[in-house]
């Protein structure tokens, strides 16, 4: 698409009442806007939803929108040229999506992470709106699992207007190590300088639900069939979440595997977001990749292309992500 008349036609058509068409065109307009900003990776549409059955459970993936980050942040220990070659991209910005997983079991409705809320990045923080658009009531959530306390996973916890929890009937689950890290008195000095603004948001959100927050160790059961898996390194107490019902097993990866090419083909490359212990994050990545390639569990990635569902295959000396069809 080129020229201002095409742009005007696209923007005019956004006003259509047909939600499918509106969603499609939003994506088009967002891509045009992103191109103007130097983003060459397609910006995802803002309100997709995907539901699959999973044994006796169902798994729904909702979008919180997307982030916009410098391409060079995809790996700190690789050159920008190598990164761009690996992902076949020339732009200086990328727009990873944010996929939030909702699990319905016979007894519970469990949300895994809560998105970014309105104050992190303009493209993110769409979860509450997208839940409403999908007819999913926030008060129906019985449990919220927080994989870690980075803004794009946590800052959507509270109502922006009055500071009360957006999921009023939920109890909350997080790893003990993650909570201890963010609430330690010296947390700011233990963080890289560019992450220090994460502290106030983490503490505000976590203390607001402290009386309903259950701290667990990796390996602990979160609900029947749902278990925390150690995935530390990205942050101090980062967890993945295993969802098992009947023969079906899924692994919600959170940020252990963030990019559909780099995390799989170059698991040794350290994204800038692996702020706590990059070597441990690499070991975590390889352990999870090895497991997923051998047991063929369904992988669910927070920042993988929406809906972030797929399988892992061995590819030479590394791996590849095969999106679920
Ligand atoms: Zn993230």
């Amino acid at each position: 698409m080129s020229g201002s008349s095409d742009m005007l036609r696209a923007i005019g058509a956004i006003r259509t009442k047909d939600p499918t068409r509106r969603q499609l065109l939003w994506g088009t307009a967002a891509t045009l806007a992103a191109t103007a900003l130097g983003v060459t990776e397609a910006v995802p549409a803002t309100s997709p939803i995907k539901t699959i059955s999973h044994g006796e459970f169902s798994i729904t993936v909702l979008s919180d929108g997307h982030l916009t980050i410098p391409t060079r942040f995809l790996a700190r220990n690789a050159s920008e040229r190598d990164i761009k070659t690996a992902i076949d991209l020339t732009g200086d910005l990328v727009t990873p999506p944010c996929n939030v997983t909702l699990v319905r079991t016979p007894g519970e409705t469990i949300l895994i992470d809560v998105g970014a809320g309105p104050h992190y990045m303009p493209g993110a923080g769409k979860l509450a709106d997208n839940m409403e658009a999908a007819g999913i009531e926030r008060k129906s959530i019985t449990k919220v699992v927080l994989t870690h306390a980075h803004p794009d996973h946590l800052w959507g916890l509270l109502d922006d207007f009055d500071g009360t929890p957006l999921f009023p009937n939920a109890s909350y689950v997080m790893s003990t190590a993650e909570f201890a890290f963010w609430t330690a008195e010296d947390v700011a000095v233990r963080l890289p300088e560019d992450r220090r603004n994460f502290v106030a948001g983490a503490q505000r959100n976590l203390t607001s639900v402290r009386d309903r927050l259950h701290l667990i160790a990796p390996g602990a059961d979160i609900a029947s069939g749902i278990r925390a898996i150690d995935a530390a390194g990205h942050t101090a107490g980062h967890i993945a979440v295993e969802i098992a019902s009947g023969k079906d097993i899924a692994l919600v990866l959170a940020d252990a595997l963030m990019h559909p090419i780099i995390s799989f083909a170059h698991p040794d490359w350290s994204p800038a977001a692996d702020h706590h212990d990059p070597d441990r994050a690499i070991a975590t990545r390889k352990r999870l990749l090895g497991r997923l390639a051998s047991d063929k569990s369904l992988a669910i990635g927070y920042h993988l292309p929406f809906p972030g569902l797929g399988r892992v295959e061995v590819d030479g000396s590394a791996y590849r992500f095969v999106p679920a069809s």
Side-chain angles (χ1 to χ4, degrees):
M1 184 177 287
S2 64
S4 57
S5 60
D6 286 335
M7 171 101 73
L8 286 174
R9 239 192 336 266
I11 290 168
I14 285 166
R15 300 203 182 99
T16 175
K17 292 251 186 305
D18 174 351
T20 315
R21 185 161 168 73
R22 197 165 57 212
Q23 187 174 308
L24 183 75
L25 288 161
W26 259 122
T28 308
T31 304
L32 287 170
T35 305
L37 291 169
V39 181
T40 51
E41 204 171 53
V43 174
T46 53
S47 61
I49 180 168
K50 170 86 176 175
T51 297
I52 58 168
S53 60
H54 185 79
E56 284 197 324
F57 302 172
S58 73
I59 294 176
T60 295
V61 182
L62 292 142
S63 174
D64 188 50
H66 67 89
L67 307 180
T68 301
I69 60 168
T71 306
R72 67 177 189 282
F73 280 19
L74 294 177
R76 281 254 200 248
N77 55 349
S79 73
E80 194 164 341
R81 213 173 95 197
D82 286 349
I83 294 169
K84 288 179 174 176
T85 303
I87 65 176
D88 195 18
L89 182 80
T90 54
D92 293 329
L93 295 170
V94 288
T95 55
C98 301
N99 308 317
V100 177
T101 303
L102 177 91
V103 189
R104 291 188 177 92
T105 77
E108 302 232 40
T109 302
I110 300 173
L111 196 60
I112 302 176
D113 290 331
V114 292
H119 300 300
Y120 183 47
M121 282 188 187
K126 317 291 187 200
L127 177 66
D129 286 350
N130 287 341
M131 286 180 75
E132 192 176 334
I136 300 169
E137 293 199 64
R138 287 186 275 107
K139 66 184 183 199
S140 71
I141 304 297
T142 58
K143 204 166 268 173
V144 169
V145 182
L146 300 166
T147 62
H148 63 299
H150 276 167
D152 53 322
H153 299 254
L154 173 68
W155 287 10
L157 196 64
L158 303 177
D159 188 315
D160 192 41
F161 182 67
D162 61 10
T164 57
L166 271 182
F167 308 98
N169 298 321
S171 61
Y172 298 81
V173 178
M174 170 178 255
S175 84
T176 305
E178 188 71 5
F179 183 81
F181 178 88
W182 291 100
T183 53
E185 268 181 29
D186 62 346
V187 58
V189 297
R190 293 161 66 194
L191 281 165
E193 215 163 303
D194 64 347
R195 308 274 146 170
R196 289 190 185 156
N197 61 340
F198 291 3
V199 173
Q203 293 188 344
R204 173 170 181 260
N205 282 280
L206 295 177
T207 55
S208 298
V209 296
R210 181 65 188 98
D211 58 339
R212 292 189 254 171
L213 180 62
H214 302 276
L215 301 179
I216 57 163
D221 285 334
I222 292 168
S224 180
I226 301 183
R227 189 161 73 98
I229 302 289
D230 172 33
H234 177 72
T235 61
H238 184 253
I239 54 169
V241 181
E242 185 184 78
I243 305 168
S245 181
K247 295 196 302 299
D248 292 340
I249 299 175
L251 202 55
V252 178
L253 302 164
D255 283 2
L257 297 161
M258 283 190 283
H259 191 276
I261 297 169
I262 288 177
S263 304
F264 297 81
H266 302 283
D268 285 320
W269 288 7
S270 288
D274 282 357
H275 81 243
H276 184 68
D277 183 341
D279 290 341
R280 190 163 175 194
I282 291 169
T284 290
R285 207 152 30 245
K286 290 181 171 175
R287 172 168 48 82
L288 294 177
L289 285 165
R291 173 192 158 165
L292 289 164
S294 72
D295 75 5
K296 302 291 176 202
S297 299
L298 179 68
I300 306 178
Y302 197 82
H303 296 298
L304 297 179
F306 184 87
L309 306 173
R311 311 273 169 187
V312 176
E313 290 180 356
V314 173
D315 185 8
S317 59
Y319 300 90
R320 100 176 125 233
F321 178 64
V322 182
S325 50

